[in-house]
Amino acid sequence: MHIPSTFAEENIDHIIGFIAANPLATLVAQTPNGMEACHIPLFWHNESNDSDKTNGCLYGHFGRKNPIYQTALPNASWLVIFQDSGQYISPNWYPSKAKAHKVVPTWNYQSIHIQSKIELIEETNKLKWLLSTMTMQQEAISDNPWSLDDAPDDYINAMCRGIVGFKLTIESIQAQFKLSQNKTVEDIDGVIDGLENLKSNTAKTMAVKVYRHSKR
């Protein structure tokens, strides 16, 4: 991924936080018939008990009928992509436009590319740990969170037989958070105002991101 230095994100806490907020990943694998992709929710898990978060791995699961894990070339790296929907940025929001008119439209977004090796997981207890961990993360926003214990054990065991879990050991991370940080303070304020005036949840979310990033 091409990442201009201005937009490069290297803070591992920010990267992990973005993955937690945007767990639906695109997984890309090489197969004998070309590239294959699928969309799978993942979660980050630190493999060690120390504070070194670079020891993290990603976990998820496939349905057994998904051909991607069956056809992927052995020992090849998998590409994992996390991204948000982003937001169009209008030149009309820049105060500098009124001075020189030397501005053009752009798109703000956040994207993370991770190269990894895959290890399949089929043991039932490990699958239950994987499913429980992911469920707890996603149900945390609920006042009455669902858990695996809410369903009969024989039912969960049967469901586990229909999936294959996996662990993605991270080889490298590239992260780009393009949030107007290449603009002047005046133009950044203009972007925030322009986004807030759109009165959409997506635009308001981007306005918050631009504001918070500008205050780092």
Side-chain angles (χ1 to χ4, degrees):
M1 175 169 61
H2 171 63
I3 306 177
S5 58
T6 304
F7 305 132
E9 178 59 66
E10 297 179 351
N11 185 300
I12 193 65
D13 288 317
H14 296 161
I15 290 170
I16 294 173
F18 181 81
I19 290 172
N22 301 270
L24 184 63
T26 300
L27 276 67
V28 184
Q30 291 178 302
T31 76
N33 297 319
M35 308 302 291
E36 181 75 27
C38 63
H39 308 284
I40 304 283
L42 306 177
F43 67 89
W44 180 290
H45 178 73
N46 280 354
E47 296 297 287
S48 65
N49 294 323
D50 59 32
S51 59
D52 184 2
K53 295 179 182 178
T54 59
N55 291 324
C57 293
L58 297 168
Y59 283 89
H61 65 275
F62 303 111
R64 282 199 175 270
K65 293 184 178 180
N66 190 332
I68 190 170
Y69 77 93
Q70 299 168 336
T71 58
L73 296 177
N75 301 318
S77 292
W78 287 56
L79 174 63
V80 184
I81 303 171
F82 296 93
Q83 68 182 87
D84 62 5
S85 60
Q87 178 65 48
Y88 173 79
I89 305 298
S90 172
N92 288 328
W93 299 339
Y94 301 136
S96 60
K97 172 182 176 288
K99 300 173 183 177
H101 295 278
K102 293 181 179 181
V103 291
V104 293
T106 192
W107 199 275
N108 275 6
Y109 65 93
Q110 294 170 279
S111 179
I112 297 171
H113 287 195
I114 295 176
Q115 296 280 348
S116 60
K117 293 289 188 182
I118 195 167
E119 174 186 334
L120 298 182
I121 299 170
E122 301 193 69
E123 197 273 317
T124 301
N125 287 334
K126 187 68 172 178
L127 281 175
K128 287 183 177 179
W129 167 82
L130 189 160
L131 296 171
S132 293
T133 303
M134 178 171 288
T135 301
M136 284 190 294
Q137 286 189 8
Q138 298 306 314
E139 290 282 340
I141 61 174
S142 175
D143 293 332
N144 184 29
W146 183 90
S147 75
L148 260 65
D149 294 334
D150 291 348
D153 199 47
D154 57 347
Y155 172 76
I156 294 298
N157 288 338
M159 296 300 289
C160 284
R161 290 193 288 273
I163 63 173
V164 175
F166 59 84
K167 168 185 172 181
L168 294 164
T169 301
I170 295 169
E171 298 177 317
S172 66
I173 301 175
Q174 293 179 300
Q176 178 167 203
F177 288 6
K178 185 175 179 294
L179 301 170
S180 297
Q181 60 266 52
N182 60 328
K183 300 300 180 182
T184 64
V185 172
E186 184 182 37
D187 280 351
I188 289 174
D189 289 341
V191 167
I192 294 170
D193 289 342
L195 290 167
E196 290 177 342
N197 288 334
L198 290 181
K199 295 181 173 57
S200 80
N201 290 334
T202 302
K204 287 182 178 179
T205 298
M206 180 57 70
V208 171
K209 290 180 178 182
V210 172
Y211 173 80
R212 288 177 176 172
H213 206 85
S214 70
K215 299 303 179 183
R216 283 191 188 177

